[in-house]
Amino acid sequence: MKDVLMNTYNRLPVTFVKGEGMYLHDDQGKSYFDAIAGIAVCSLGHAHPAISRAICQQAEQLVHTSNLYGVARQQQLGEQLTALAGMDRVFFSNSGAEANEAAIKLARLHGHKRGIDNPVILVMEESFHGRTMATLTATGNRKVQAGFEPLVQGFARVPYGDLEALRTAAGNLKNIVAVLVEPVQGEGGVNIPPADYLPGIRALCDEHDWLMMLDEIQTGMGRTGTAFAFQQHDLVPDVMTLAKALGNGVPIGACLARGKAAELFAPGNHGSTFGGNPLACAAGLAVVEEMKRENLWQRAAEAGEKLHQALATALHDQEGIREIRSAGLMLGIELDRPCGELVGMALEQGLLINVTADSVVRLLPPLIITDEQIGELTRLLAQLISDFLERVQ
Ligand SMILES: *Cc1c(COP(=O)(O)O)cnc(C)c1O
């Protein structure tokens, strides 16, 4: 095969041609249990009839007009999302990184409005926020940044889950304007902060007039058991970004804002040719409607608990398991050794999983997973992990 595609991915040797709910089928006719859902994107499963119908109907009517004009679907999706989140306004983008770019620009506007010429955004170690220049700078992973220096100015980094480190930064840096943080770190290894972390950040932001900006690109849209992860606490952020599951595979991102943060942008400050076009918003609307109708975040909470318990039981006597962590259907099994090899082993067995942070098996199954499928996934995965741990010392 000619190398026409830029060399940016280590792709697995499989090509899918069809999807159906929890399953994918490859071009050789083999079926796979999908426990990664296109990286937390296809939360309603593959080829969901209601989503496919909404996309087809919209495509037959109107795909794109640009933001020079009113876009009814964008308005409707904006109303749904702001109501669901208890926030005021939304800007639509085409990806997660772009949603975070909007958030970063809001933080800087907020800073300049406060008279701070060189505003700083606090970001976390082990974080992931995207691959554009500003978002890779915000990302706490040297591998993502290496080779792309000079990085963007105006970020300072502290350890994740550590309120004391944030308080120290507040004392040392006078030009902080915002905190950008994931409620649960995804790429960083399914890292769950202490329960007082987000409330503590909220209090610090209120005290210092910083914007609390949550990157819910992976945790949002029901993944962790509530529509948005922050809803498991008694707080609302100033800014929240979404993408991944918002279109169930149709590219769409969103940056929501509340209160004064929602009033920062003025015409000319920001924009996107494609952002929030009728097709993407029709998909987003169908996703929100379906998730509400099926009470899918509730399902994510229950199914996540069941899957966690089932895996804990199945792996109980297995040496080499450090910890199982979960927030709804965002689940990480940390091993005591690098385990990237498990991805290929699972593929051979017809199971799609992911390994992140070298030694964490990450599961992000569609939220429509049934109890029976939880059993199927547990059996397959527990067997694979014990085979792996016996073979690879
Ligand atoms: C995936 C992800 C992003 C980047 O989203 P893209 O659509 O790939 O640009 C940003 N933040 C988090 C937490 C993510 O999981």
Side-chain angles (χ1 to χ4, degrees), residues 127-139:
S127 64
F128 183 79
H129 298 297
R131 300 284 194 158
T132 61
M133 282 310 304
T135 58
L136 75 82
T137 302
T139 291

Side-chain angles (χ1 to χ4, degrees), residues 91-174:
F91 175 87
F92 286 106
S93 63
N94 312 291
S95 66
E98 280 176 276
N100 282 338
E101 286 278 343
I104 290 164
K105 286 176 75 172
L106 285 177
R108 288 191 167 189
L109 282 179
H110 171 66
H112 288 292
K113 218 172 155 189
R114 286 181 50 196
I116 296 172
D117 293 334
N118 54 345
V120 165
I121 300 172
L122 286 178
V123 291
M124 308 303 150
E125 289 172 9
E126 279 32 278
S127 64
F128 183 79
H129 298 297
R131 300 284 194 158
T132 61
M133 282 310 304
T135 58
L136 75 82
T137 302
T139 291
N141 180 344
R142 270 306 294 163
K143 281 192 215 155
V144 172
Q145 300 172 339
F148 301 112
E149 298 80 2
L151 301 181
V152 175
Q153 295 185 347
F155 293 93
R157 196 173 306 285
V158 292
Y160 186 64
D162 185 346
L163 276 177
E164 212 36 58
L166 284 164
R167 290 194 192 104
T168 305
N172 293 340
L173 289 167
K174 289 300 155 209

Side-chain angles (χ1 to χ4, degrees), residues 18-33:
K18 189 174 162 55
E20 264 179 303
M22 296 291 301
Y23 299 90
L24 282 169
H25 309 289
D26 74 9
D27 54 6
Q28 311 294 308
K30 181 175 164 185
S31 296
Y32 299 79
F33 186 109

